Amino acid sequence: MATSTLFDYTVRDVSGKLVTGKMEAADEAALVARLRAQGHAPLKVKPAGTGLNREITLPGSNRVPLKDLAVMSRQFATMISSGLSLLRALSILSEQTACKPLARTLAGIRVDVEGGSSLSVAMARHPKVFPPLMINMVRAGEVGGFLETVLVQVADNFESEVKLQAKIKSAMAYPVVVFVIAVLAVIGMLLFIVPIFAGMFASLGGELPLPTRVLVVLSDGLRVGAPAGVVVLLAAGVAWARWKHHPAVRNAVDPVKIRMPVFGQLFAKIALSRFTRNLGMMMRSGVPILQALDIVGATAGNVVLERAAADLQESVRGGESMAGPLARHKVFPPMVAQMLAVGEDTGALDTMLEKVSQFYDQEVEATTDALTSLIEPLMIAVLGSIIGGMIIALYMPIFSVFTLIN
């Protein structure tokens, strides 16, 4: 698939109807042979996105939001439970999905399924669109004969994840906005207001107070180093976007995130909620426990829980319990280990995991509300102190202006 090309094609099917679509293939000859093997009569084949039909894409425009995957999964489950065939459901989804990258992917999956591939195999060919959790659950649903149930669970999981992300954004939005406003206000005063006052005080003579001299030095340094600072910030942003998922970076950053003074508890609860929800859902769907642990470790969003999942794998592979290794990882509170132990003893581990996930979802909501109510007055006080301190430092020399004039 790495050397394949996306083609637009027009064919006539067995009923004589004209059908257009997109398909990936090594070259035009391979695509024509593939279409003929499916019983179609190819009429036109050309590379996609050529000439005036080329699509203009912006960076990030090919990403499929999790919300669209949740909607698609729920619609897919509804159509299958209503008796529609898999091919018909995929065709309808590809036509009505508003997300263009997802629509193109679904059209390609329909062609693969029509060619004899299973749904999970066809989805696995698009790892940038469908997460491993969804692919493995669909595979379990195909094997067990309960695909519509699995798709509903996937939709519920993705919707819970979307709500979780919304809570995180609501908790971070206010402090980020206030911080940006404070930085812009300070930069604006240092670049435009402080030089005016500095020139006026210099023309009058006399010695400036220490706070005013500090502001003048900062203003001069900012005017000289502003271009270099912008370049450094842009380079740092690009480097972070490129290397933030590197194992060495994650090993250094992720443990610090859950130990932060204010937001550490929030990050830990978010990771625990995601970990327990995904593991419980996959076990309920019949995914093998070792495979499920491998997937939920990678999807937890924190390398600390990924290491815990690896320990759980070794414990289960050796015939031991899951609750034992959790006690060795401080990120898991004793309550989680005890509930998992009870779930193993009673044979209701998936139910216990779901209850733990619901508990931490509520904890995340309560923590975000508490952080928001705490951060608002703190940020206002900090912003007021910074701006007020700068204004006082600028106006301190004015008290001696009349003396200097005389």
Side-chain angles (χ1 to χ4, degrees), residues 371-393:
L371 284 176
T372 302
S373 60
L374 173 66
I375 289 174
E376 285 183 8
L378 288 178
M379 294 298 291
I380 292 174
V382 171
L383 179 59
S385 300
I386 293 173
I387 303 300
M390 293 181 67
I391 293 175
I392 292 173

Side-chain angles (χ1 to χ4, degrees), residues 11-69:
V11 299
R12 194 176 297 277
D13 61 12
V14 292
S15 63
K17 181 181 177 181
L18 287 176
V19 178
T20 60
K22 297 179 182 291
M23 185 184 299
E24 290 184 350
D27 51 31
E28 294 186 9
L31 178 60
V32 170
R34 190 173 177 182
L35 292 171
R36 286 176 177 170
Q38 296 173 3
H40 300 313
L43 300 178
K44 182 189 296 184
V45 173
K46 65 177 182 178
T50 58
L52 296 177
N53 293 324
R54 180 183 296 274
E55 293 185 5
I56 300 176
T57 59
L58 298 175
S61 60
N62 288 322
R63 294 184 58 187
V64 177
L66 203 60
K67 184 178 180 180
D68 290 331
L69 284 178

